[in-house]
Amino acid sequence: MRFPEDVPLLTDGVVTLRAHEPADVEPAYAMCQDAEMQRWTTIPVPYEREHAVNFVTVVIPAGWRDGGFWAWAIEYDGRFAGTIDLRGGEAKGGELGFGLAPWARNAGVMTRAIQLVLGHAFGEFGWHRVTWRAVSGNWASRRAAWKCGFRRFQTLPDAALIRGVRHDEWIASITSDEERVPQGNWFTIPVVEGDGIRLRPLDERDIDRTAEACADERTQHWLSGMPAPYTREHAKDFIETRQEWAAAGSGVSWAIADAADDRLLGNVSLFEMTHRIDKTLAEIGYWGHPEARGRGVMSAAVALVIKLAFTPIEQGGFGRRRLVLFANEPNSASRHVAEANGFTQIGMERAAAPLRDGSYDNLVMFDLLKTEVR
Ligand SMILES: CC(C)(COP(=O)(O)OP(=O)(O)OC[C@H]1O[C@@H](n2cnc3c(N)ncnc32)[C@H](O)[C@@H]1OP(=O)(O)O)[C@@H](O)C(=O)NCCC(=O)NCCS
């Protein structure tokens, strides 16, 4: 292909993708000074003007002439806003890459640019699959990909290498026959208050108290699947994977915080929300910080969660019809939380809950139907 003559102009009327030109060097250089660009991409740091000159005037034209790397300049609001590219890599497929100047972010610009490029990849290029990858934690990138229909999100441990440091990597893909619309629910986690507690999303502030609560003897006894010894790293992983649950629509996990000082008192979650057959089911699970036990905190938290669980998705809830809850038979505190919230004991799995000493507890099964709650 010839550059720039053969670079197709793609537009949806708001965002235009065009061939790069020398005037893009300055704004590209400015964009790469941004901390997010440096954190999430493999650009050199410090990023010098020469890097931008080389990328815009040498690397990109060569990519079109030689094939294998096809990059477009993103024009938005009448000026250069970033770059989006396709890279070959597999037969009839390839990878997507992108970066946007900070001033243009969170206005749907990259979502539009991705849609245009996917149209071209599956149309003109005749590709079967486009793959997206991002360093784990790059939520803006993941959400833009999700909005365009990327699916099968997975985490590849240590797969990304950024300036010599390994990071977990997210990967997802879309094929030519798949709809370019969001797949599944991406739950936002509502903040609710009542009875002196606040349910809010978990975040980094909760790492230490999570580690304390999960290393506690009673938590370790009843939740025998918890890592032991339980470290700060485990707490960090716990919080990150709970954020991924919400993005995948598979679960919602709240910090139970003290309404007065926001201190973490425990955790309550809805999960198993993408059940193969019953999409209206969720399991409820929890643990409390040792400091907050014995004063009704968990019963109050579960009451708030039940209300949200049964509220329709369009009204800010989670559209559930049936909740299930499991407790080890001797765990009277946990059974109390279920009973205090109107759950019915529906059965008992015999010798079903492994303990760390090699023995097994019976597991009591509870459920609660939407029709039973006023
Ligand atoms: C990733 C990037 C290109 C996104 O561009 P953008 O034009 O802002 O993307 P869009 O507005 O189309 O979509 C981003 C979505 O993520 C959301 N978002 C932003 N930050 C978020 C966060 N921390 N958590 C969750 N969602 C977030 C936005 O609200 C938006 O969703 P919405 O439209 O439903 O509100 C831009 O942030 C960027 O250039 N980042 C630095 C470079 C980079 O990460 N490149 C990609 C490497 S894989």
Side-chain angles (χ1 to χ4, degrees):
M1 277 194 188
R2 293 167 304 164
F3 182 90
E5 305 87 300
D6 292 338
V7 178
L9 189 77
L10 309 175
T11 186
D12 65 1
V14 175
V15 165
T16 298
L17 306 184
R18 56 156 175 84
H20 284 77
E21 48 198 44
D24 298 333
V25 166
E26 276 315 316
Y29 168 64
M31 168 173 101
C32 292
Q33 304 308 313
D34 166 57
E36 297 283 305
M37 278 298 290
Q38 302 193 353
R39 177 169 181 199
W40 302 119
T41 74
T42 54
I43 58 168
V45 175
Y47 194 88
E48 313 284 357
R49 206 172 167 284
E50 279 319 301
H51 292 126
V53 172
N54 184 53
F55 186 63
V56 170
T57 65
V58 180
V59 175
I60 290 175
W64 285 94
R65 287 190 196 113
D66 305 342
F69 180 68
W70 302 273
W72 285 263
I74 300 169
E75 196 149 310
Y76 171 62
D77 204 21
R79 56 186 172 128
F80 174 91
T83 292
I84 183 164
D85 67 74
L86 291 170
R87 307 149 197 216
E90 59 177 275
K92 291 273 171 214
E95 227 176 86
L96 181 68
F98 47 79
L100 197 70
W103 63 266
R105 289 186 195 153
N106 295 326
V109 171
M110 197 52 80
T111 301
R112 289 173 175 278
I114 296 170
Q115 289 285 11
L116 289 169
V117 163
L118 287 179
H120 196 71
F122 294 137
E124 203 72 12
F125 282 7
W127 282 7
H128 172 62
R129 184 199 347 256
V130 174
T131 303
W132 161 92
R133 290 165 180 262
V135 174
S136 162
N138 189 351
W139 288 107
S141 178
R142 178 165 173 155
R143 185 150 169 107
W146 173 82
K147 284 196 293 175
C148 296
F150 278 84
R151 60 200 74 191
R152 295 174 289 273
F153 286 85
Q154 299 286 333
T155 303
L156 302 178
D158 278 348
L161 188 63
I162 301 221
R163 294 179 291 276
V165 182
R166 292 215 162 266
H167 303 268
D168 291 352
E169 187 172 60
W170 286 333
I171 184 166
S173 60
I174 184 166
T175 57
S176 56
D177 52 351
E178 289 173 334
E179 272 193 297
R180 284 169 235 160
V181 296
Q183 296 300 301
N185 298 310
W186 180 309
F187 290 134
T188 45
I189 301 173
V191 177
V192 286
E193 282 196 35
D195 283 332
I197 57 170
R198 176 182 305 118
L199 301 189
R200 58 158 175 81
L202 288 154
D203 62 38
E204 296 88 43
R205 285 172 300 168
D206 302 315
I207 293 175
D208 288 330
R209 301 257 311 165
T210 296
E212 279 167 29
C214 295
D216 169 70
E217 211 183 314
R218 273 173 71 188
T219 314
Q220 287 271 319
H221 179 75
W222 296 123
L223 300 171
S224 66
M226 287 238 180
Y230 195 98
T231 64
R232 260 188 121 254
E233 266 320 292
H234 292 123
K236 207 165 152 267
D237 273 5
F238 171 80
I239 291 166
E240 280 169 15
T241 46
R242 293 317 177 269
Q243 287 169 345
E244 285 194 48
W245 279 8
S250 65
V252 203
S253 193
W254 286 268
I256 307 168
D258 190 307
D261 62 12
D262 213 36
R263 206 161 27 108
L264 184 79
L265 302 177
N267 168 253
V268 59
S269 304
L270 292 171
F271 52 105
E272 303 290 355
M273 293 168 86
T274 44
H275 188 275
R276 198 167 48 86
I277 300 165
D278 185 359
K279 307 285 179 222
T280 64
L281 177 76
E283 183 174 338
I284 208 161
Y286 40 77
W287 47 257
H289 190 282
E291 221 179 62
R293 292 183 190 152
R295 52 183 164 100
V297 165
M298 197 55 74
S299 293
V302 168
L304 292 172
V305 168
I306 290 170
K307 197 164 171 216
L308 286 167
F310 289 141
T311 301
I313 293 181
E314 316 76 69
Q315 291 169 28
F318 299 99
R320 300 296 115 178
R321 180 193 58 86
R322 177 169 180 257
L323 297 176
V324 294
L325 194 162
F326 297 86
N328 289 28
E329 189 184 16
N331 189 350
S332 51
S334 180
R335 291 173 54 179
H336 172 80
V337 170
E339 281 154 9
N341 275 292
F343 277 82
T344 299
Q345 181 175 328
I346 51 166
M348 174 115 76
E349 294 191 64
R350 296 178 302 157
L355 298 177
R356 286 173 204 271
D357 64 4
S359 65
Y360 292 83
D361 274 345
N362 292 333
L363 198 59
V364 185
M365 304 165 65
F366 295 93
D367 77 359
L368 180 66
L369 300 176
K370 181 174 178 177
T371 48
E372 295 172 321
V373 177
R374 265 183 299 129

